[in-house]
Amino acid sequence: MPAVSKGDGMRGLAVFISDIRNCKSKEAEIKRINKELANIRSKFKGDKALDGYSKKKYVCKLLFIFLLGHDIDFGHMEAVNLLSSNKYTEKQIGYLFISVLVNSNSELIRLINNAIKNDLASRNPTFMCLALHCIANVGSREMGEAFAADIPRILVAGDSMDSVKQSAALCLLRLYKASPDLVPMGEWTARVVHLLNDQHMGVVTAAVSLITCLCKKNPDDFKTCISLAVSRLSRIVSSASTDLQDYTYYFVPAPWLSVKLLRLLQCYPPPEDAAVKGRLVECLETVLNKAQEPPKSKKVQHSNAKNAILFETISLIIHYDSEPNLLVRACNQLGQFLQHRETNLRYLALESMCTLASSEFSHEAVKTHIDTVINALKTERDVSVRQRAADLLYAMCDRSNAKQIVSEMLRYLETADYAIREEIVLKVAILAEKYAVDYSWYVDTILNLIRIAGDYVSEEVWYRVLQIVTNRDDVQGYAAKTVFEALQAPACHENMVKVGGYILGEFGNLIAGDPRSSPPVQFSLLHSKFHLCSVATRALLLSTYIKFINLFPETKATIQAVLRAGSQLRNADVELQQRAVEYLTLSSVASTDVLATVLEEMPPFPERESSILAKLKRKKGPGAGSALDDGRRDPSSNDINGGVEPTPSTVSTPSPSADLLGLRAAPPPAAPPASAGAGNLLVDVFDGPAAQPSLGPTPEEAFLSELEPPAPESPMALLADPAPAADPGPEDIGPPIPEADELLNKFVCKNNGVLFENQLLQIGVKSEFRQNLGRMYLFYGNKTSVQFQNFSPTVVHPGDLQTHILSGPAQPPASRPASPGWPSSSWGSWLTQLAVQTKRVAAQVDGGAQVQQVLNIECLRDFLTPPLLSVRFRYGGTPQALTLKLPVTINKFFQPTEMAAQDFFQRWKQLSLPQQEAQKIFKANHPMDAEVTKAKLLGFGSALLDNVDPNPENFVGAGIIQTKALQVGCLLRLEPNAQAQMYRLTLRTSKEPVSRHLCELLAQQF
C-alpha cells in the first residue's frame, strides 16, 4: 500500500473533528454540523470545479458526520467520481464512502460497477484490492451477478499478487454466503483447492475459509482438499516458532490457520488413504504432546492460541471416533482442565467430554473423572459450568454408576438454579428409567423427584411413571404403597396427587388388606387433597372415585354423597359437572357386571420410545442429538416399558372445544414384522415385475380374512344394480383445499392423527394396513353446539384412476354375495388401482358429538394419486363443503423385509437399470436427528438393515409393496450429511413409476 504523502493530512478535516470534540452540548454540535453541511453543499454546487483533494476532504467530512449518527442525503456522486482518480488516497476514500453509505439498491450501483470493473482490469494490485473489498462490503446481488464470474479467475490467475488472491478468496466467500447460486465453481474447483499449497500463508488462510464453506454444500467436489490440508497442517505442527516468523503468535506457529485446517477436516470422514491417515494421526499426536509441554510464555495470549488448537484437535478426534488411543489421550488431557483455575477452560473441557462420553472407546476413560465432575456440580460458582457438569454426568451414566449419579443430581436439584431445574428433572427421569434394574428404585426416584421439584416435573415425566407402573405387574403393589405413604405428607405437590390418584384408582386394591391403607382411608386421604387442586387434577380424582366404587363397594355410599354434593353437580366448570353427573348416574344405574366392565383396569400401554427423551432433545436444541442419545455405547441398557403418553381422554372426558378424537398425540405405529418367507420372496420379486402368488394369512394377521373384498361376477353386473341415491363423482366435487398436500404428507410415515381441523369440524384418522389390504377409521367431530344437517362424507378417485364408481343399495344384491368382513350397508368403488368400500354415516351430527366411518381398502395395482375425501353438510342452514386427500399412499402397503448385506448388494446390482433408480439430493427441512430419521423410515414401511452400509451414519432399508396384481421389491439408501445439512436419497425398485413416487414421498419427510 503506498505511503500517504505529507500533503494528504487534510487539515480542514482535522480542524472540523476538533471543533466537534470541543462542543459543550448536543445543540452546539448540531449547529456546527449544520454549518459544515451547508458549506459542503455550496462547494459541491458551486461553479468552480473542485480538485481531487477537496472532493476527498469534503467526502471524508460527510463520512464522519454520518458516523456521528446524522443522515447524509448528498455527496454520493462526488464519492463515485473519486473512484476514477489515479491517486490511492482519493480512490480509497471513494470506496470507503460507498461501502458505508451506498445502499445495495441505489441507482448509482451501475456507475460503481463500471468503476470497479475498470480497477479489476487495471492489474494494479492496490486498486484491485480496493475494488474487491468494496464488492465484499456491499455484497449486493447485482454486484454478485456482475463480478461472480471474474473473481474466481482473478483468484487462480498465475500473475495475481498474493494480496489480490487473499482479497479475492474472501470476496468470493462473502458473495457465496449472500447468494450461493451466483458462484459457479465447477471449472475452478481443482485450482482453488490447489491454493492450499500456496507459499503465502495469508493466501492459504483465506483459501481454507472459502473451501470450508464451499465443501459443506458440495463435499464430493472438494474431496481432494483432504490430503493437501493434512500436508499443510503437518508442516505447521512440526515447525518451530522461528520457521514462520510472520505468522507466529506468541510462540505458536500460525494458530488461526491450524484451527481452520482442523475445521476443514471435520467436514469429511477419516481419510481413506493409509498414508494420509497416518500422517494426520501423527499431527494429532504432536498437538497432544505439545499440550503437555511447559508453556513458553506466561501471557494469556500464548495459552489461548495453544488451547484453541488443542480443543479443535480434540473436536476432530471426536468427529472421527475411530482412534481409541487418541480418544483416551484426549479425555485425559481434558481431565487436566477440569480443575484449571480458568473458568472458560473448565467449561470447554466439560463440554468436550460430554461428546467423548458417547464414544465406546473413551466412555470408560470419561467415567474415571466422575468425582471431579460431581464436585464441580456442587462447588462451581458459574451456573453455565454447573449446567455442563450436569450434562456430563448424564452422558457418562451407565448401569454401573446410575444410582450414584441419579442420587447426586437429586441432591443438587434441591439447590439448583431455577433456569436449569426442568432440564435436570428430565435427565433424572430418563436415567432412572433407562438404567433401572430394580423397578422399586425407579418408583422411589420419580416420587422423590416430584417431592423435591414438583413445579418442574412436566406432564411427560409423571405420564411416563404411570405407563411403566401399568405395564409392570411386579411393581404395581409397591407403587401403590409408596405413593400412599407420600400422600400422607402435610404439604404434597399436585403432581404427586395426580400420580397417587391414578395409581390408587388402578391398584389401590393391592394394599387394601392393610388396615392402615384400607379403602376408606385411601379415599379420605385423596379427598383431603381435592379442594386444594386445580380443575384438571379434580377431574382425575373424580375418575379415581368412580374406580373406587368398582374396586371397593363399601365406599359406594360415601363417594355417591360426594358426587351428589351441590359443589359438584352445580360446579361452574363444565368438565367437573359433567363427570359428577355421569359418574353418579353410572354408579346408581349400572349393574355390578356392567360397572366392572366399564371401569376395568387400564390395559398395558403399547411399547414405544420415551417421550421424555424427545422433550429433552427439543429443550436442548437440534444440535444436541448425539450428546443426548448415547444408546449405542450401552446396547444392553433396558428401556423399561414403552408406551404412548396417556392423553387427557384416558383420564377425562373431553369438552366440545377440546380434542374430540384424542388423536393429536397418537404416535405412528411400529412397522409390522416381516413374514418368515419374505427373504425368499424377495429373490423372485427383484427378478422382474411379474405377478407373484399372494402370501397366505398368518395367525397374527387374522383380520386379513375379514377384509377380503367381495369378488363381483362382472363390473357391468354391478353397474346394473339400482342405486337409491347417487354419490358425487370426481366431476361433482371441488378441488382439494390448498393445504391438502401438506396434510397428506403428515401421514406418509404415520397412520393415526388429526387429518383436518377448523372451527367447525375435526376429522381424525386411525388406520392399519397388512399386505395389500387396509382398514381405516375416519372420525368426524362436530366442534360446535349446532347440529350438522345432510352430513355426507364421500370417497372418490381423481383423474385417470377412476373406472367404475358404484353406490350400492342397503342390502347386497344377489349377484354379489355378502361377506362377513364387509358391512352390508355400504357402497364400494372398484378401480384398476384401488378398491375402497365405505360405510355410510348418519346424516345428522349433533353438537359436540362425533361419528365414525369405516373404510376397507384393497390395493389392486400400484398407484400414484391418493383418493379424495369430500365432506358436505349444512351448518345453520349454510352449505359447507371441503375436499381432502385421503392418507392412502403406496407405501402403506409396504411389507418390511430383512436380508443380509450380501443379499442386499446382490439385489442392488440386479436393479441397475436407469429407469429402476430414483435419486434425490435435498436440503434438510427439519433438525437432523438419527432417532427421528429411523422412526420415520420405519413408519414409511421398510425394514432397516444394520451393518449393511460401510458408513454407519447411513440408513439402508428393504421391503416389498404388496398389491393384488403384483409385488414390487424396493431397496432404499438414505445418506445424511450433518455438516452440509443435506440428504441424498436413492431408491431402486422393479418398477419405474414406483421408484420416482416413493422417492418424492420420502424426501418430503426430511
Side-chain angles (χ1 to χ4, degrees):
M1 184 177 295
V4 179
S5 65
K6 188 175 181 179
D8 288 333
M10 290 187 290
R11 183 174 176 276
L13 175 63
V15 171
F16 174 63
I17 294 175
S18 178
D19 290 346
I20 294 295
R21 288 179 176 175
N22 292 331
C23 290
K24 302 299 183 182
S25 64
K26 187 68 176 175
E27 291 75 12
E29 178 183 312
I30 294 175
K31 183 178 179 181
R32 178 67 180 90
I33 289 174
N34 288 336
K35 178 182 177 182
E36 191 64 38
L37 286 175
N39 178 55
I40 297 173
R41 196 186 301 269
S42 64
K43 295 292 184 181
F44 285 166
K45 290 185 175 180
D47 297 333
K48 186 179 178 182
L50 295 176
D51 58 9
Y53 171 80
S54 299
K55 284 184 183 178
K56 177 184 69 172
K57 180 177 66 174
Y58 293 135
V59 167
C60 264
K61 288 183 178 181
L62 291 176
L63 183 58
F64 179 73
I65 293 171
F66 176 79
L67 295 178
L68 288 177
H70 301 271
D71 291 334
I72 300 298
D73 56 1
F74 69 98
H76 299 75
M77 183 56 72
E78 283 71 17
V80 173
N81 292 337
L82 286 176
L83 300 184
S84 59
S85 173
N86 289 325
K87 287 188 176 181
Y88 169 77
T89 55
E90 295 175 6
K91 190 182 290 287
Q92 180 194 35
I93 296 300
Y95 276 124
L96 182 60
F97 185 92
I98 288 167
S99 299
V100 175
L101 272 85
V102 174
N103 188 286
S104 59
N105 299 321
S106 171
E107 299 176 354
L108 300 175
I109 286 292
R110 186 163 297 178
L111 293 175
I112 297 170
N113 286 351
N114 289 334
I116 292 175
K117 191 170 294 185
N118 292 334
D119 284 337
L120 290 180
S122 68
R123 311 311 297 172
N124 183 321
T126 305
F127 293 173
M128 292 177 73
C129 287
L130 286 175
L132 290 169
H133 295 168
C134 181
I135 296 172
N137 288 330
V138 177
S140 66
R141 185 170 183 87
E142 187 173 346
M143 275 195 176
E145 292 172 348
F147 302 110
D150 297 331
I151 298 174
R153 176 180 52 77
I154 296 172
L155 175 61
V156 300
D159 58 346
S160 293
M161 298 286 289
D162 293 333
S163 58
V164 175
K165 289 183 180 179
Q166 193 171 350
S167 298
L170 296 177
C171 180
L172 196 61
L173 175 61
R174 171 70 173 86
L175 292 181
Y176 182 79
K177 287 182 176 180
S179 305
D181 57 305
L182 296 182
V183 182
M185 289 305 300
E187 56 183 306
W188 310 108
T189 300
R191 299 172 71 179
V192 170
V193 170
H194 191 68
L195 290 175
L196 295 178
N197 277 336
D198 199 278
Q199 297 297 319
H200 194 274
M201 298 292 283
V203 174
V204 178
T205 305
V208 172
S209 298
L210 175 62
I211 294 170
T212 302
C213 186
L214 293 173
C215 73
K216 289 179 180 178
K217 185 176 182 181
N218 304 299
D220 293 339
D221 295 345
F222 292 88
K223 201 170 183 179
T224 54
C225 73
I226 297 176
S227 58
L228 298 179
V230 171
S231 175
R232 175 64 75 170
L233 181 64
S234 176
R235 278 180 277 168
I236 296 173
V237 169
S238 59
S239 66
S241 58
T242 56
D243 296 342
L244 300 169
Q245 289 184 356
D246 292 342
Y247 287 87
T248 296
Y249 180 77
Y250 286 87
F251 304 101
V252 181
W256 284 274
L257 179 55
S258 300
V259 168
K260 288 177 180 289
L261 289 170
L262 290 166
R263 286 183 180 172
L264 173 59
L265 292 172
Q266 290 177 52
C267 297
Y268 292 95
E272 299 173 358
D273 190 317
V276 175
K277 185 175 182 180
R279 191 172 185 183
L280 177 58
V281 170
E282 184 180 342
C283 289
L284 301 179
E285 289 177 342
T286 303
V287 174
L288 295 178
N289 291 337
K290 286 186 175 182
Q292 300 291 339
E293 297 175 357
K296 296 179 180 179
S297 173
K298 293 183 179 180
K299 293 189 176 182
V300 68
Q301 292 91 338
H302 171 74
S303 59
N304 284 347
K306 190 175 177 182
N307 291 331
I309 298 174
L310 174 62
F311 277 102
E312 207 61 52
T313 299
I314 292 174
S315 296
L316 181 60
I317 294 171
I318 295 172
H319 170 73
Y320 284 165
D321 196 18
S322 60
E323 296 293 331
N325 180 49
L326 288 177
L327 286 164
V328 173
R329 287 193 60 187
C331 180
N332 295 336
Q333 181 64 47
L334 292 172
Q336 297 178 16
F337 289 138
L338 292 180
Q339 295 178 315
H340 199 278
R341 61 183 178 85
E342 177 62 40
T343 304
N344 289 335
L345 284 181
R346 296 197 301 275
Y347 179 92
L348 291 172
L350 289 167
E351 188 176 48
S352 298
M353 289 185 79
C354 284
T355 314
L356 276 175
S358 63
S359 171
E360 59 181 325
F361 302 117
S362 56
H363 180 69
E364 292 299 323
V366 173
K367 284 169 56 180
T368 61
H369 301 284
I370 184 171
D371 294 332
T372 307
V373 179
I374 290 174
N375 184 61
L377 187 66
K378 296 177 180 178
T379 61
E380 277 288 350
R381 288 183 294 179
D382 192 309
V383 61
S384 60
V385 181
R386 292 197 298 273
Q387 187 169 4
R388 292 287 82 78
D391 290 344
L392 180 53
L393 284 176
Y394 173 81
M396 70 167 61
C397 186
D398 60 17
R399 202 174 303 282
S400 65
N401 58 16
K403 290 190 176 181
Q404 178 188 5
I405 289 178
V406 168
S407 64
E408 291 292 346
M409 294 180 80
L410 279 173
R411 193 175 296 114
Y412 169 67
L413 192 57
E414 296 182 5
T415 58
D417 300 87
Y418 294 111
I420 63 174
R421 283 196 179 187
E422 184 180 3
E423 187 178 323
I424 298 291
V425 167
L426 292 174
K427 288 177 176 176
V428 169
I430 291 170
L431 295 179
E433 175 187 345
K434 188 177 182 69
Y435 299 112
V437 178
D438 180 4
Y439 291 97
S440 60
W441 172 75
Y442 170 75
V443 172
D444 288 339
T445 300
I446 300 301
L447 295 183
N448 199 17
L449 195 62
I450 296 175
R451 180 185 62 81
I452 295 173
D455 290 338
Y456 299 91
V457 175
S458 61
E459 289 184 339
E460 286 84 356
V461 175
W462 67 267
Y463 281 0
R464 190 65 174 164
V465 71
L466 298 184
Q467 296 167 17
I468 291 170
V469 170
T470 302
N471 288 14
R472 298 290 307 188
D473 295 338
D474 57 340
V475 79
Q476 290 166 359
Y478 180 82
K481 176 178 178 294
T482 306
V483 78
F484 176 79
E485 294 172 350
L487 287 172
Q488 293 176 348
C492 187
H493 195 275
E494 188 170 339
N495 281 337
M496 186 73 77
V497 177
K498 293 177 181 177
V499 174
Y502 183 94
I503 291 179
L504 292 180
E506 293 292 323
F507 314 113
N509 60 308
L510 300 178
I511 60 171
D514 189 335
R516 293 171 297 178
S517 56
S518 62
V521 175
Q522 291 186 38
F523 172 73
S524 299
L525 180 60
L526 284 175
H527 196 55
S528 67
K529 315 288 184 185
F530 185 87
H531 303 287
L532 304 174
C533 297
S534 64
V535 170
T537 306
R538 292 184 189 183
L540 187 148
L541 289 178
L542 289 179
S543 298
T544 301
Y545 295 168
I546 191 66
K547 289 263 187 177
F548 271 18
I549 292 179
N550 179 46
L551 292 175
F552 315 121
E554 63 269 28
T555 63
K556 180 175 180 179
T558 306
I559 293 175
Q560 283 184 334
V562 171
L563 296 175
R564 198 177 287 114
S567 59
Q568 305 302 334
L569 294 181
R570 289 188 292 275
N571 197 295
D573 186 84
V574 66
E575 177 72 18
L576 295 180
Q577 184 187 108
Q578 182 178 349
R579 287 187 185 227
V581 172
E582 291 180 356
Y583 290 163
L584 179 61
T585 307
L586 179 64
S587 64
S588 304
V589 175
S591 64
T592 305
D593 292 340
V594 171
L595 202 62
T597 303
V598 174
L599 302 174
E600 65 180 351
E601 183 179 307
M602 288 289 292
F605 291 93
E607 302 286 344
R608 65 162 293 189
E609 181 190 8
S610 170
S611 61
I612 310 176
L613 182 60
K615 181 179 177 68
L616 181 60
K617 288 180 180 179
R618 291 195 301 269
K619 186 172 181 62
K620 295 293 286 183
S626 60
L628 296 177
D629 183 16
D630 55 349
R632 62 190 177 119
R633 81 171 131 74
D634 191 5
S636 63
S637 63
N638 180 26
D639 292 338
I640 292 179
N641 271 303
V644 295
E645 304 82 13
T647 62
S649 61
T650 63
V651 291
S652 65
T653 303
S655 61
S657 62
D659 179 15
L660 293 169
L661 310 177
L663 292 173
R664 287 196 181 103
S675 65
N680 297 331
L681 176 65
L682 195 65
V683 176
D684 299 327
V685 171
F686 284 130
D687 288 340
Q692 302 293 333
S694 60
L695 294 175
T698 59
E700 67 272 19
E701 297 172 340
F703 89 112
L704 292 179
S705 60
E706 300 177 7
L707 296 183
E708 190 62 39
E713 295 181 1
S714 70
M716 295 308 295
L718 290 175
L719 291 173
D721 294 328
D727 287 300
E731 68 280 357
D732 299 322
I733 66 173
I737 61 176
E739 61 268 29
D741 289 326
E742 180 183 351
L743 297 174
L744 176 69
N745 288 336
K746 293 180 180 179
F747 284 84
V748 170
C749 295
K750 68 176 184 178
N751 291 336
N752 305 333
V754 175
L755 177 62
F756 172 81
E757 185 171 10
N758 62 11
Q759 69 273 19
L760 303 180
L761 177 68
Q762 184 190 61
I763 303 177
V765 176
K766 288 187 177 180
S767 56
E768 186 176 5
F769 297 87
R770 299 278 179 85
Q771 295 186 15
N772 69 314
L773 302 177
R775 175 173 289 161
M776 179 177 291
Y777 298 89
L778 296 176
F779 301 87
Y780 304 97
N782 183 347
K783 295 177 63 176
T784 71
S785 58
V786 180
Q787 187 184 64
F788 289 167
Q789 299 287 339
N790 301 333
F791 189 79
S792 174
T794 310
V795 177
V796 296
H797 288 74
D800 59 352
L801 284 180
Q802 181 187 7
T803 54
H804 305 293
I805 293 188
L806 170 74
S807 296
Q811 298 297 329
S815 61
R816 182 181 60 197
S819 169
W822 293 72
S824 58
S825 57
S826 59
W827 64 273
S829 302
W830 276 264
L831 311 171
T832 57
Q833 287 87 2
L834 276 179
V836 182
Q837 189 175 32
T838 67
K839 184 177 181 179
R840 292 186 182 276
V841 300
Q844 287 80 34
V845 183
D846 293 333
Q850 69 173 3
V851 295
Q852 173 183 303
Q853 185 179 33
V854 182
L855 279 67
N856 290 325
I857 304 166
E858 182 182 21
C859 181
L860 306 177
R861 298 183 62 86
D862 56 280
F863 62 97
L864 304 181
T865 308
L868 298 180
L869 173 64
S870 172
V871 181
R872 299 184 178 190
F873 59 94
R874 283 187 168 270
Y875 169 70
T878 305
Q880 305 285 334
L882 66 104
T883 303
L884 305 169
K885 292 188 177 181
L886 201 66
V888 181
T889 48
I890 187 66
N891 66 292
K892 298 297 182 185
F893 303 98
F894 239 132
Q895 179 179 341
T897 305
E898 299 289 342
M899 58 170 58
Q902 182 178 358
D903 295 333
F904 178 87
F905 287 116
Q906 181 181 353
R907 308 291 175 260
W908 186 267
K909 292 179 181 178
Q910 290 176 356
L911 297 172
S912 57
L913 297 178
Q915 64 269 25
Q916 293 176 328
E917 178 180 285
Q919 186 176 90
K920 189 169 186 178
I921 300 174
F922 53 95
K923 191 80 174 175
N925 294 319
H926 306 284
M928 299 181 71
D929 184 285
E931 289 302 314
V932 174
T933 302
K934 186 182 300 183
K936 287 182 178 180
L937 290 173
L938 290 174
F940 192 69
S942 68
L944 284 182
L945 309 181
D946 297 327
N947 303 319
V948 172
D949 198 297
N951 186 349
E953 301 297 326
N954 295 343
F955 299 90
V956 174
I960 302 170
I961 293 177
Q962 302 280 351
T963 73
K964 185 175 182 180
L966 53 83
Q967 293 164 334
V968 182
C970 175
L971 301 177
L972 70 86
R973 184 188 190 203
L974 181 66
E975 302 168 82
N977 185 331
Q979 288 81 10
Q981 291 292 297
M982 301 282 288
Y983 288 99
R984 179 165 61 186
L985 174 63
T986 308
L987 273 120
R988 292 187 179 184
T989 73
S990 51
K991 200 164 185 184
E992 178 183 1
V994 176
S995 301
R996 293 198 308 270
H997 187 53
L998 287 177
C999 189
E1000 289 295 328
L1001 282 177
L1002 188 54
Q1004 292 169 357
Q1005 303 305 306
F1006 301 102

